[in-house]
C-alpha cells in the first residue's frame, strides 16, 4: 500500500527538502514505522542490498544495531565507520529509525527567518543554508551514539552532495532519461508518455531480463544450446546497460 501526500506550498529548492521532513515528523507520519528511507525522485536504486544490510545491522566494519544509514558528501573527509562526526550527510538518500529523531529536528527549515530569531537565527546566518547541513545537525545525536552506518566507505561519491555509491545513483533524469541510461539500445521503444508508466515498463523489462538470465543459468550445462543462447543474450543486454550507465555517469 502507498499513501501519497501533495502540497501546493513549495518553499524552494533547499527549504523544500527540509520542509518536507519537518511536516512528516511533526505530523507523525513516520510513527508506525521502524525505518524510514528518504530518497529524492532523481535517485535510481540499482542495488538496494548495501542499504538494507545496514538497516539490518549486517553491514560495515562494525556490524550491529544502527539508527541511521547515511552517505557523506565528498567535500568532507570520508566516513569509514561509526561515530563519523565530520561527515556531511547527503539528502539524496538516507535511512533513519524515526523513533530516535526529535519531532522538531527540522523545525528550522525556513532559511528566510530573521537573523535575530532566538530559535533559528543561526540557519538564516548561513549555518544551515543547505539541506545537508540541517540533516547533519538533525541526525548528529545518532552519530554521537555511534549508531551511524555509512554507504560510501570507499568515498566514491562525486564532488558534490550527490549519491553515486552503494548501488544508488543520482542521475539527473531531466537531462539523462533513466530508460536510455539503463538500457541504451538494448531496451524496446517505450510506448507510454507518462514518466511514471515509462519507469514501470522499464522495471518490468529489466525484471524479465533478470528472470531469463536466471532461467538460462539453471536450465542446463554448456551442451544446452538454447540455454546458452538465452544466457548470452541476457548477459549482453546486462553488459550494455552497465556500460551505458558508466559512460553517462562520467558525463
Amino acid at each position: 500500500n502507498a499513501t501519497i501526500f501533495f502540497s501546493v506550498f513549495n518553499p524552494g529548492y533547499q527549504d523544500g527538502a527540509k520542509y518536507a521532513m519537518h511536516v512528516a515528523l511533526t505530523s507523525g507520519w513516520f510513527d508506525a514505522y521502524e525505518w524510514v528511507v528518504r530518497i529524492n525522485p532523481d535517485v535510481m536504486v540499482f542495488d538496494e542490498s548495501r542499504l538494507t544490510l545496514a538497516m539490518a545491522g549486517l553491514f560495515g566494519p562494525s556490524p550491529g544495531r544502527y539508527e541511521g544509514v547515511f552517505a557523506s558528501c565528498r567535500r568532507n573527509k570520508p566516513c569509514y565507520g561509526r561515530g563519523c562526526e565530520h561527515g556531511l550527510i547527503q539528502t539524496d538518500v538516507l535511512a533513519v529509525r524515526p523513533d530516535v529523531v526529535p519531532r522538531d529536528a527540522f523545525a528550522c527549515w525556513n532559511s528566510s527567518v530573521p537573523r535575530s530569531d532566538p530559535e533559528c537565527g543561526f540557519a538564516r546566518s548561513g549555518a544551515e543554508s543547505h539541506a545537508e547541513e540541517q540533516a547533519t545537525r538533525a541526525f548528529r545525536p545518532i552519530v554521537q551514539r555511534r549508531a551511524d552506518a555509512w554507504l560510501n566507505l570507499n568515498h566514491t561519491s562525486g564532488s558534490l552532495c550527490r549519491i553515486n555509491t552503494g548501488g544508488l545513483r543520482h542521475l539527473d533524469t531531466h537531462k539523462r532519461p533513466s530508460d536510455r541510461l539503463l538500457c541504451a539500445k538494448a531496451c524496446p521503444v517505450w510506448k507510454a508518455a507518462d514518466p511514471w508508466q515509462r519507469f514501470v515498463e522499464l522495471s518490468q523489462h529489466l525484471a524479465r531480463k533478470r528472470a531469463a538470465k536466471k532461467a538460462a543459468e539453471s536450465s542446463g550445462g554448456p551442451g544446452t544450446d538454447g540455454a546458452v543462447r538465452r544466457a548470452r543474450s541476457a548477459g549482453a543486454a546486462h553488459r550494455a546497460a552497465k556500460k551505458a550507465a558508466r559512460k553517462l555517469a562520467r558525463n
Side-chain angles (χ1 to χ4, degrees), residues 44 46 171 177-184 187-188 190 195-210 241:
M44 293 291 290
F46 290 89
L171 296 183
S178 57
D179 48 6
R180 292 207 309 265
L181 178 68
L182 287 170
C183 295
C187 283
W190 309 120
W196 173 251
Q197 186 58 39
R198 287 163 64 89
F199 177 75
V200 171
E201 290 183 6
L202 171 61
S203 301
Q204 293 171 344
H205 174 75
L206 294 179
R208 288 193 296 269
K209 287 289 186 180
R210 287 193 293 268

Side-chain angles (χ1 to χ4, degrees), residues 7 9 11 14-24 106 109 134:
S7 173
F9 176 63
Q14 294 292 340
D15 284 356
K18 297 177 283 185
Y19 177 70
M21 288 294 294
H22 173 67
V23 171
F106 286 84
W109 61 268
Q134 186 160 118

Side-chain angles (χ1 to χ4, degrees), residues 71-81 83-88 150 152-157:
S72 180
C73 298
R74 191 174 180 180
R75 66 187 188 215
N76 280 24
K77 294 185 294 184
C79 289
Y80 292 111
C84 185
E85 296 197 29
H86 62 259
L88 181 61
W150 298 86
N152 52 337
L153 294 178
N154 57 0
H155 213 217
T156 55
S157 286

Side-chain angles (χ1 to χ4, degrees), residues 7-251:
S7 173
V8 296
F9 176 63
N10 182 0
Y13 183 64
Q14 294 292 340
D15 284 356
K18 297 177 283 185
Y19 177 70
M21 288 294 294
H22 173 67
V23 171
L25 285 167
T26 55
S27 301
W29 294 347
F30 298 157
D31 290 355
Y33 298 95
E34 183 179 1
W35 280 94
V36 169
V37 177
R38 184 208 184 280
I39 184 168
N40 281 340
D42 52 3
V43 172
M44 293 291 290
V45 180
F46 290 89
D47 181 2
E48 75 282 3
S49 60
R50 188 179 296 186
L51 176 63
T52 55
L53 283 172
M55 292 165 64
L58 302 174
F59 172 76
S62 53
R65 187 181 189 276
Y66 293 115
E67 296 176 355
V69 183
F70 311 116
S72 180
C73 298
R74 191 174 180 180
R75 66 187 188 215
N76 280 24
K77 294 185 294 184
C79 289
Y80 292 111
R82 294 176 180 266
C84 185
E85 296 197 29
H86 62 259
L88 181 61
I89 295 175
Q90 294 189 21
T91 54
D92 263 357
V93 58
L94 58 86
V96 293
R97 293 182 183 269
D99 61 328
V100 303
V101 181
R103 289 185 183 272
D104 63 351
F106 286 84
C108 298
W109 61 268
N110 190 349
S111 61
S112 64
V113 297
R115 293 175 184 268
S116 58
D117 184 277
E119 297 294 330
C120 300
F122 64 91
R124 177 64 181 88
S125 67
E128 291 183 1
S129 58
H130 291 83
E132 290 79 11
E133 292 157 344
Q134 186 160 118
T136 299
R137 179 187 57 81
F139 303 129
R140 183 172 292 121
I142 294 175
V143 177
Q144 292 173 336
R145 288 192 293 269
R146 299 181 60 82
D148 49 324
W150 298 86
L151 296 173
N152 52 337
L153 294 178
N154 57 0
H155 213 217
T156 55
S157 286
S159 58
L160 300 177
C161 291
R162 293 288 182 260
I163 190 71
N164 189 30
T165 189
L168 305 162
R169 300 289 184 271
H170 177 277
L171 296 183
D172 279 334
T173 51
H174 62 289
K175 298 178 181 177
R176 302 192 292 260
S178 57
D179 48 6
R180 292 207 309 265
L181 178 68
L182 287 170
C183 295
K185 296 181 181 178
C187 283
V189 176
W190 309 120
K191 298 179 180 179
D194 179 69
W196 173 251
Q197 186 58 39
R198 287 163 64 89
F199 177 75
V200 171
E201 290 183 6
L202 171 61
S203 301
Q204 293 171 344
H205 174 75
L206 294 179
R208 288 193 296 269
K209 287 289 186 180
R210 287 193 293 268
K213 183 178 181 181
K214 184 176 181 180
E217 292 172 346
S218 61
S219 62
T224 308
D225 294 340
V228 171
R229 285 194 297 271
R230 288 192 297 273
R232 287 175 177 171
S233 175
H238 180 69
R239 288 191 296 273
K242 290 181 65 177
K243 182 178 179 180
R246 287 196 300 269
K247 180 179 179 181
L248 288 176
R250 289 193 298 268
N251 293 339

